[in-house]
Amino acid sequence: MDVPALVEGIREGKRASVSQAITLVESSRADHRLAARELLAEITPDSGGAVRVGISGVPGVGKSTFIESLGMELVRDGKQVGVLAVDPSSVRTGGSVLGDKTRMSELSASPKSYIRPSPSVGTLGGVARATTQAMIILEAAGYDVVLVETVGVGQSEVTVAGMVDTFLFLTLARTGDQLQGIKKGILEIVDVVAVNKADDQGGHTAGEGEARVAARELTGAMKMVQGHGEWAPPVVTCSALTHVGVKDVWQRVLDHREHLGADGLARKRASQQLDFMWALVRDELAERLRLSPGVSAVREEVRASVLDGAMAAPEAADRILAAYDQD
């Protein structure tokens, strides 16, 4: 791996170099991990200039359609847009559909955009460990906006909110109880909420009034969970299919950045880097545990004992850790 050549290619904005670098940081091979650290040490000073936005939402809300609509608006404004779309991986095979790029056909054809579908490879919340590092690579390559799409399940929203400047949550109108399925914890971490208008198959915008009703209900819910004097997340309506209101959603993202200010944004990113540091420590410890000779020696015995019911899980965990400590 020629890291200096890769760094040069990234700084020149070469798409092939960007792709190779992201593949490198996604790899779990020991030599690749060392090369990735060298690469990131070189390009990190060139990063930090992009607007980082996380996008999540209820299943079927149309995240990919919204991202393509927003991405094309930004491209027309002269921005370079990077999209990191994390697909859920199979818990059995580790395989992933990686269909986001095909769903964003117009945006993927633009020379000013870069779409990277990545499998979540089973990491917590469906957000790959390498996503933060991929953002650094895109920023070093000159991308002005980085959009991170989550799989929209479980812990993924919390995970992605911890790596972006602004967290945008998409939801639908006409789902019965508008708050159903939206947990209080989600409302506590969002910065902007957009109610998509759920266009029908005929291409006509449906339910505009219902979307506004849903927006009012969510606005009331937000007031219950937000602290006094904090940023009040706006709730707006949009239609990703007809592009109505998409610019307004982006303006709310920019308003949030203005609310943070330069100092607030710097503090937020510094705190995220600290959290990321500990995430890397946990990841490295897990890898060392997996490769430990002592653990390998007792793994099958402990596994068989747990499956047979001869050993309780806490005792088995202590046995594994004791074997690791002996190394």
Side-chain angles (χ1 to χ4, degrees):
M1 181 64 64
D2 189 348
V3 173
L6 206 53
V7 169
E8 183 180 354
I10 292 169
R11 288 172 174 163
E12 293 175 358
K14 294 181 178 178
R15 298 170 70 91
S17 297
V18 170
S19 295
Q20 289 171 14
I22 295 178
T23 299
L24 179 65
V25 299
E26 286 179 346
S27 175
S28 59
R29 274 178 47 174
D31 56 336
H32 286 177
R33 290 163 76 93
L34 289 174
R37 290 193 183 109
E38 181 184 347
L39 171 76
L40 292 167
E42 287 290 330
I43 66 172
T44 295
D46 303 321
S47 66
V51 179
R52 303 174 180 178
V53 182
I55 300 176
S56 189
V58 296
V61 73
K63 293 187 290 294
S64 296
T65 304
F66 175 84
I67 290 171
E68 178 167 62
S69 180
L70 174 60
M72 291 307 301
E73 290 282 359
L74 295 171
V75 164
R76 284 189 283 269
D77 286 342
K79 305 291 187 185
Q80 283 192 284
V81 181
V83 179
L84 299 173
V86 184
D87 270 16
S89 298
S90 166
V91 294
R92 288 193 201 169
T93 66
S96 185
V97 176
L98 302 178
D100 288 280
K101 196 166 185 175
T102 61
R103 291 196 294 267
M104 304 178 197
S105 56
E106 186 180 5
L107 184 61
S108 63
S110 171
K112 287 194 171 183
S113 75
Y114 178 89
I115 300 175
R116 176 73 178 206
S118 302
S120 62
V121 291
T123 50
L124 178 63
V127 178
R129 173 188 60 83
T131 302
T132 297
Q133 297 167 331
M135 281 196 294
I136 293 172
I137 293 168
L138 289 174
E139 290 179 344
Y143 286 85
D144 306 296
V145 178
V146 179
L147 306 176
V148 183
E149 177 191 0
T150 78
V151 297
V153 292
Q155 186 71 12
S156 62
E157 291 89 352
V158 178
T159 308
V160 78
M163 62 175 69
V164 297
D165 305 329
T166 301
F167 180 60
L168 168 63
F169 186 76
L170 298 176
T171 187
L172 288 171
R174 301 191 297 132
T175 55
D177 178 2
Q178 311 297 349
L179 300 180
Q180 182 139 5
I182 302 178
K183 299 178 182 179
K184 179 182 177 183
I186 300 299
L187 299 183
E188 289 176 337
I189 62 173
V190 299
D191 300 305
V192 180
V193 179
V195 181
N196 206 7
K197 292 181 182 176
D199 307 84
D200 63 19
Q201 295 299 317
H204 303 292
T205 301
E208 182 175 349
E210 291 168 323
R212 290 177 178 171
V213 170
R216 283 197 298 270
E217 290 180 356
L218 282 168
T219 299
M222 301 299 286
K223 291 178 180 178
M224 297 173 61
V225 299
Q226 296 295 326
H228 179 70
E230 297 178 359
W231 164 258
V235 183
V236 297
T237 60
C238 69
S239 173
L241 194 59
T242 61
H243 314 296
V244 175
V246 174
K247 280 188 175 180
D248 182 40
V249 176
W250 180 247
Q251 184 56 51
R252 303 309 174 102
V253 171
L254 297 180
D255 291 345
H256 177 248
R257 285 179 64 83
E258 184 177 351
H259 170 80
L260 287 174
D263 291 343
L265 184 59
R267 287 194 300 271
K268 184 171 187 175
R269 288 194 175 185
S271 177
Q272 289 174 346
Q273 281 298 299
L274 186 62
D275 291 339
F276 183 49
M277 176 197 76
W278 284 113
L280 290 177
V281 168
R282 289 190 293 269
D283 184 65
E284 180 63 26
L285 287 175
E287 183 67 9
R288 293 184 184 184
L289 186 69
R290 186 180 70 84
L291 299 175
S292 163
V295 172
S296 297
V298 301
R299 180 183 288 118
E300 287 305 315
E301 177 189 347
V302 170
R303 177 179 180 274
S305 296
V306 171
L307 290 177
D308 291 342
M311 185 181 296
E315 182 184 354
D318 289 341
R319 181 82 180 276
I320 293 290
L321 291 173
Y324 176 72
D325 289 339
Q326 285 179 358
D327 287 343

